[in-house]
Amino acid sequence: MSFDYDLFVIGGGSGGVRAARIASAEGKARVGLAEEYRMGGTCVIRGCVPKKLMVYASEYPGMIADARAYGWKVEAGAFDWAQFRSQLEAELTRLENAYRGTLRNAGVETFDLRATVVDAHTVALADGRRFTAKHILIATGGRPFVPDLPGAELAVTSNEIFHLDALPKRALVVGGGYIASEFACILNGLGVEVSQYYRGAQILRGFDDEARGHVATAMQASGVTIHCGTDVLRLEKTATGIRAVATDGTEREFDLVMYATGRKPNSSGLGLEALGVELGRNGEIKVDDWSQTAVPSIYAVGDVTDRINLTPVAIREGHAFADTVFKGEPRKADHELVASAVFTQPELGTVGLSEEAAQAQEPIEVYVASFRAMQTLFAGRQDRVLMKLIVSQQSRKVLGCHIVGPGAGEMIQLVGIAVKMGATKEDFDRTVAVHPTMSEELVTMRNPVRRS
Ligand SMILES: Cc1cc2nc3c(=O)[nH]c(=O)nc-3n(C[C@H](O)[C@H](O)[C@H](O)COP(=O)(O)OP(=O)(O)OC[C@H]3O[C@@H](n4cnc5c(N)ncnc54)[C@H](O)[C@@H]3O)c2cc1C
């Protein structure tokens, strides 16, 4: 049977673009790709990239305060949100065009339309066109949502936050995950009065307890008011803002309410269930280690499969799929020891097991250094840096590393290599320190603070 395409990709985000490019340019496949919103997907258009640029923008007041402590006669002045927003938009358009160029150069045919799946080898575009394909890749990502509560329509999500007409004076961020915590810090840094409500006992669930406690304490100290054990019951429009009626009995008023209480895989309405593609409880597409669904010609990568929802992981999954199916180089995406960062202020960088997870697995030693860094100490700041290593008592391998402090994201990328290589505590100890740096603490922690 002949097909219109060897591969049709639905979704032009991190995973879909990589898979399409490799299948076409290196696998010599005929590839079509449909994207319903903007090429580049969540990461480029409404995720990692614009968020990180907002993080940078929000860090300047702190830097200016530090500069003053170092003797510079400077004033922070006012933040021009409109200027920043239009510059941000221009940068995202540049990146979107770069993605389009990459796909064009690789020979991928793109369609700026929504696509759905008709049968195991047919996709339909929103304009009615249908194409057949030997393989179909679902790379439709995920989306934020506001839970079903009275007044939900008054809240925004991370999708809207980059397009605000003006910055609010008072903002409520609901949620305790990394996106909620990052935006609480961003808005706080930009001069907004920020409250964060989280229904659990501590923000950043799933990360090392000590590290997330450290981040939460620092966020509070820098001005974010975190209310744990607190959820919103309803939102009400008032003459002057939005009233949030909460489970702790409070009624506070805000100008902006942002929900970041989780994301849902974009799997509904694609026609998948009828074909026999299995979906999980949250709507995630079930795949095997090769990213293949229960329908052999249909594969899925990235956030829609809800494995590890990070851009580099989606890229690796898309790449492994293309290598396997179109280059004859069978390769599974590796989900072990993926390092990641939370761009709160201070940042959290993490790789491997938390102390709690490691403890449940085997006897461990824990090494901790908590100290005030030279640069900020001089500026009179109270911020403390945390460096933490979790070590297996038996194998001596470093099972986890957690860093809280400036540049933690950059540092953990490099520690990730060592941990991925199976470095032991003694390998860390044999490494001579780079002085004076913060990260030298990673190779100079001599005695465990506890064994368990
Ligand atoms: C605010 C925020 C911050 C983030 N920060 C980070 C970070 O710092 N680091 C990190 O690694 N990750 C971060 N992420 C996560 C990261 O963005 C995702 O893991 C990544 O984008 C997933 O890639 P993907 O290819 O699976 O899906 P996506 O990038 O979401 O791409 C899916 C694409 O499919 C399109 N689409 C959906 N349905 C259809 C359809 N039926 N037809 C056609 N097109 C369709 C969508 O429009 C979208 O463009 C962040 C996410 C958010 C929301």
Side-chain angles (χ1 to χ4, degrees):
M1 181 176 170
S2 81
F3 297 99
D4 297 325
Y5 293 101
D6 299 314
L7 170 66
F8 199 95
V9 179
I10 304 183
S14 309
V17 168
R18 174 59 66 90
R21 174 166 76 77
I22 299 300
S24 181
E26 296 180 20
K28 307 292 173 232
R30 290 166 303 147
V31 182
L33 181 149
E35 166 55 54
E36 68 176 343
Y37 182 55
R38 291 180 65 180
M39 208 60 83
T42 303
C43 172
V44 177
I45 303 297
R46 37 171 61 157
C48 331
V49 173
K51 172 202 76 186
K52 190 82 190 276
L53 289 166
M54 280 182 82
V55 170
Y56 289 137
S58 69
E59 285 174 340
Y60 282 100
M63 289 184 203
I64 291 165
D66 286 358
R68 276 202 297 274
Y70 274 83
W72 290 93
K73 303 286 174 234
V74 282
E75 292 302 322
F79 177 64
D80 188 339
W81 166 253
Q83 183 202 323
F84 172 78
R85 202 189 50 187
S86 65
Q87 244 166 279
L88 178 67
E89 186 45 44
E91 175 60 5
L92 301 188
T93 303
R94 187 187 71 76
L95 289 169
E96 183 180 5
N97 289 335
Y99 270 78
R100 286 186 185 281
T102 301
L103 287 170
R104 199 168 41 243
N105 293 339
V108 177
E109 206 175 332
T110 56
F111 303 90
D112 291 325
L113 286 165
R114 180 172 171 79
T116 51
V117 184
V118 179
D119 63 39
H121 292 287
T122 311
V123 295
L125 297 184
D127 64 2
R129 276 181 288 174
R130 287 186 174 206
F131 296 112
T132 57
K134 187 164 183 208
H135 301 280
I136 296 170
L137 178 69
I138 315 289
T140 47
R143 62 175 187 286
F145 67 96
V146 181
D148 196 11
L149 79 162
E153 69 286 355
L154 299 171
V156 300
T157 67
S158 60
N159 277 356
E160 291 78 40
I161 201 82
F162 305 110
H163 306 288
L164 298 177
D165 291 332
L167 280 183
K169 268 175 64 103
R170 307 158 297 176
L172 169 63
V173 178
V174 187
Y178 82 93
I179 294 175
S181 306
E182 287 174 344
F183 276 99
C185 292
I186 288 169
L187 293 169
N188 178 54
L190 293 177
V192 178
E193 202 182 297
V194 181
S195 298
Q196 182 178 2
Y197 288 4
Y198 175 53
R199 65 180 179 191
Q202 182 58 284
I203 61 166
L204 298 173
R205 187 166 65 92
F207 291 91
D208 182 87
D209 274 355
E210 193 172 7
R212 63 198 185 116
H214 197 102
V215 173
T217 305
M219 281 173 62
Q220 300 251 35
S222 70
V224 178
T225 311
I226 302 175
H227 300 265
C228 285
T230 306
D231 206 352
V232 175
L233 286 171
R234 60 178 188 278
L235 297 173
E236 295 165 353
K237 183 102 194 79
T238 66
T240 46
I242 303 165
R243 185 185 303 124
V245 181
T247 48
D248 62 357
T250 59
E251 296 188 6
R252 296 193 182 86
E253 196 180 89
F254 303 95
D255 306 304
L256 176 86
V257 177
M258 174 184 168
Y259 258 84
T261 47
R263 291 174 61 79
K264 282 209 163 81
N266 278 330
S267 61
S268 59
L270 288 175
L272 294 172
E273 297 94 320
L275 294 179
V277 171
E278 268 183 70
L279 302 185
R281 266 191 357 167
N282 197 29
E284 72 278 14
I285 297 180
K286 294 215 170 164
V287 289
D288 64 13
D289 289 349
W290 304 96
S291 296
Q292 191 170 28
T293 71
V295 177
S297 59
I298 302 182
Y299 288 73
V301 295
D303 284 10
V304 75
T305 62
D306 198 15
R307 286 175 278 181
I308 300 178
N309 297 332
L310 293 171
T311 281
V313 178
I315 289 174
R316 289 291 176 102
E317 290 169 359
H319 204 128
F321 154 77
D323 280 351
T324 304
V325 178
F326 298 101
K327 285 179 67 186
E329 294 171 12
R331 209 161 53 78
K332 297 176 188 171
D334 182 357
H335 293 101
E336 293 297 315
L337 294 172
V338 173
S340 66
V342 178
F343 295 100
T344 37
Q345 294 162 37
E347 280 177 24
L348 165 61
T350 180
V351 64
L353 299 177
S354 64
E355 180 176 344
E356 298 69 42
Q359 212 166 37
Q361 176 181 292
E362 62 182 282
I364 54 166
E365 285 179 354
V366 180
Y367 295 79
V368 178
S370 172
F371 56 95
R372 291 170 72 191
M374 183 197 264
Q375 184 181 11
T376 45
L377 175 73
F378 185 87
R381 285 211 230 166
Q382 297 303 312
D383 311 20
R384 295 188 81 79
V385 172
L386 177 79
M387 303 264 170
K388 181 167 178 180
L389 293 177
I390 319 291
V391 178
S392 161
Q393 283 191 26
Q394 204 221 329
S395 70
R396 304 301 299 156
K397 280 189 182 170
V398 175
L399 302 173
C401 175
H402 311 281
I403 303 175
V404 181
E410 302 291 345
M411 285 187 250
I412 207 68
Q413 178 69 84
L414 304 178
V415 177
I417 300 171
V419 173
K420 188 79 183 167
M421 289 175 75
T424 60
K425 177 66 172 65
E426 287 63 38
D427 290 325
F428 274 64
D429 294 346
R430 282 191 299 118
T431 307
V432 177
V434 177
H435 184 73
T437 63
M438 288 180 282
S439 49
E440 67 182 302
E441 295 290 333
L442 287 170
V443 296
T444 54
M445 291 189 271
R446 292 290 166 237
N447 300 311
V449 292
R450 48 191 173 269
R451 289 190 173 85
S452 57

